[in-house]
Amino acid sequence: MTDTAVAVKEMLKAVADVNPTFMPADEKAATLLAWLEIESQVAELRLRVMSAAGDVAESEGFHSTGTWLAHHGRVRRADAMADLRLAEALDRGLPVLARALREGAVNLAQARVVAGAVGELPDRVGQDVVALAEAELVRLAADHDPKELAVLGRRILEVVDPERFEDEERRRLDDAEKRAQEKQRLRIRAVGDGTTRISGVVPDAVAARLATYLHAFTNPRLADGAVRRTSDEQSDVEKNGFGHGVNRPRQLAEAFAQLLETVDPKRLPIHGGDATNVTVTISLEALTSGLGVAALDNGVPGDGFDRITAREARRLACNAQIIPAVLGKDSEILDLGRSTRLFSKAQRRALLLRDQTCRAEGCSIPGTWAEAHHLVPWSQGGDSDLDNAVLLCSRHHHRAHDAAYDMTRLASGDYRFARRT
């Protein structure tokens, strides 16, 4: 085999200076596919040698051929170990897959998927079923890329042994759900720059439910024509990434914020003797001016969520389920919450009938996804009645409380937002 490797290297030297730019298109296409097959054939040969090279690693004191190759070949250890696992799987009992890789009928990425799918089959299905699954997946590889092949691989038992599939699928899902319950984790860590990192692993059913809730908030923003903007607003899109200009992860983050603000705390478990709540402590001067900062307390010491801007506190006081603790000059409590600040369900229904959509000029996000905004701020004594209310989507509601924008009522009843110069 060493002689073959030397011969191949010499042949490659012969084309080292070839410029493919001037090749005809059909020749380029044929060459690309031919070399893809050759790569697969070379990979299979390397894996075949790798599976038999345990003595090489042992002679130099390495734990495995994978660690030896990572060191001498200067490749990532994880990649070398993945190659070793595939090599051992091919050597142990995947003759159809090994032959297909050797002939260039499947590529290395497809081979990993097929080996993984076959390896996931439980021993109780028997070797005859395993062999059928291997052969069928190799056949499917002729028409499917690795991603599609992985989907097919998860249901291969349904194809090769449909009578056994339902029982095995039930077992697999039972095991998966048990593992999900054991592995689920959620971490919330304040970064210290005004953001908090939330990371977690949750069961699929929980993730699906959360995704459904978030899609309810993001779908209107994705629909063509759902948000019509003025030229000034379009420039904001380019600068700030709102609406169509925003990437999917940010859309989901914004939707997550909206979801939490619309959750009814009365339906949450009792927390510390009262309905679950967040208390915002702010001075009267900061609340009325919108300048300064407010202290944030969710009743859990050490979480690190301790400051928000006065502007955000005003917006939350307008529509979110928080308890504002307003302090005077000597830190005496002037007001500890006003439950009447929130619009009732009946008022919300009346607003929806009247406004139907967000009433910002050019915005047609449905009113069911909008928030009820106090035209005269709650912090300035504004009442929670229909004459003092308008439906605004989350984006425009933020602008209504942003000192950088003026909000003007138009003859049509819509509201125009203009950046102050």
Side-chain angles (χ1 to χ4, degrees):
M1 285 190 180
T2 304
D3 293 341
T4 302
V6 172
V8 170
K9 289 178 69 175
E10 289 300 319
M11 292 176 66
L12 290 174
K13 287 181 181 179
V15 295
D17 297 326
V18 172
N19 187 346
T21 303
F22 303 104
M23 292 170 57
D26 57 346
E27 187 177 345
K28 289 178 183 176
T31 302
L32 283 172
L33 294 177
W35 280 108
L36 190 62
E37 288 187 14
I38 292 170
E39 285 179 11
S40 298
Q41 293 175 297
V42 172
E44 187 278 332
L45 179 58
R46 178 171 60 83
L47 293 175
R48 206 186 328 159
V49 175
M50 197 173 182
S51 67
D55 53 342
V56 174
E58 186 177 346
S59 67
E60 296 188 23
F62 285 87
H63 292 296
S64 69
T65 309
T67 55
W68 181 92
L69 187 62
H71 175 74
H72 288 285
R74 297 176 297 281
V75 298
R76 292 195 312 170
R77 180 169 179 168
D79 293 339
M81 295 306 295
D83 284 347
L84 179 61
R85 287 193 294 272
L86 179 58
E88 292 174 341
L90 293 173
D91 183 61
R92 275 197 308 268
L94 295 174
V96 176
L97 178 59
R99 183 171 62 253
L101 189 60
R102 189 178 309 135
E103 295 173 353
V106 301
N107 57 51
L108 191 58
Q110 289 176 313
R112 295 188 197 282
V113 172
V114 173
V118 173
E120 287 292 320
L121 294 175
D123 294 337
R124 56 181 172 268
V125 302
Q127 282 303 308
D128 55 337
V129 174
V130 171
L132 288 173
E134 177 194 4
E136 180 62 14
L137 285 170
V138 169
R139 185 188 70 80
L140 291 169
D143 299 308
H144 299 280
D145 63 27
K147 184 177 180 180
E148 296 169 340
L149 204 57
V151 175
L152 295 169
R154 287 194 289 270
R155 300 184 68 86
I156 191 61
L157 193 60
E158 186 177 10
V159 177
V160 299
D161 194 354
E163 293 183 1
R164 193 194 300 263
F165 169 73
E166 186 173 347
D167 183 56
E168 290 298 335
E169 183 71 356
R170 177 187 58 77
R171 289 171 181 259
R172 185 186 69 80
L173 291 175
D174 281 345
D175 291 342
E177 289 176 0
K178 289 177 182 177
R179 285 197 303 271
Q181 291 295 329
E182 294 170 357
K183 291 175 63 177
Q184 62 181 338
R185 300 286 189 275
L186 187 66
R187 295 180 177 86
I188 303 176
R189 183 175 66 85
V191 178
D193 62 355
T195 63
T196 293
R197 186 178 303 281
I198 302 175
S199 60
V201 176
V202 297
D204 285 345
V206 175
R209 195 156 59 246
L210 176 60
T212 299
Y213 296 158
L214 298 185
H215 291 330
F217 288 101
T218 59
N219 279 342
R221 302 165 189 233
L222 297 176
D224 290 338
V227 180
R228 300 184 300 275
R229 298 185 178 85
T230 64
S231 58
D232 288 341
E233 287 180 310
Q234 186 59 41
S235 65
D236 290 334
V237 170
E238 296 169 357
K239 287 184 287 186
N240 301 325
F242 286 107
H244 292 296
V246 92
N247 59 34
R248 188 62 174 167
R250 178 167 165 184
Q251 281 183 339
L252 293 176
E254 291 177 351
F256 187 53
Q258 282 187 269
L259 172 64
L260 295 181
E261 289 184 10
T262 55
V263 170
D264 183 359
K266 294 179 181 178
R267 303 185 63 181
L268 298 178
I270 297 299
H271 182 69
D274 197 359
T276 303
N277 61 70
V278 174
T279 301
V280 173
T281 304
I282 187 171
S283 70
L284 179 61
E285 180 183 0
L287 182 64
T288 54
S289 68
L291 303 176
V293 298
L296 191 66
D297 178 21
N298 68 339
V300 183
D303 265 2
F305 319 121
D306 56 357
R307 291 288 188 272
I308 58 174
T309 64
R311 182 185 68 246
E312 180 68 358
R314 291 178 64 177
R315 188 187 70 82
L316 289 173
C318 184
N319 81 298
Q321 300 279 10
I322 67 164
I323 296 177
V326 183
L327 305 181
K329 291 183 179 180
D330 298 323
S331 297
E332 75 276 16
I333 295 179
L334 302 180
D335 188 358
L336 184 58
R338 267 169 58 189
S339 61
T340 54
R341 76 186 185 281
L342 297 174
F343 293 97
S344 67
K345 290 182 179 179
Q347 288 174 315
R348 283 279 312 182
R349 285 194 291 268
L351 279 172
L352 186 58
L353 286 172
R354 187 192 73 186
D355 293 346
Q356 298 185 4
T357 67
C358 169
R359 293 308 300 270
E361 182 184 24
C363 184
S364 59
I365 286 181
T368 48
W369 280 281
E371 301 166 356
H373 168 65
H374 291 76
L375 294 171
V376 176
W378 169 86
S379 58
Q380 297 177 14
D383 295 325
S384 296
D385 57 41
L386 297 181
D387 292 336
N388 190 42
V390 65
L391 289 182
L392 295 175
C393 67
S394 177
R395 171 173 171 259
H396 285 111
H397 198 187
H398 276 82
R399 284 195 170 177
H401 290 277
D402 190 339
Y405 286 88
D406 285 319
M407 177 178 172
T408 307
R409 181 182 172 90
L410 304 177
S412 63
D414 288 342
Y415 288 82
R416 174 174 294 167
F417 292 87
R419 188 183 291 275
R420 292 177 179 174
T421 57

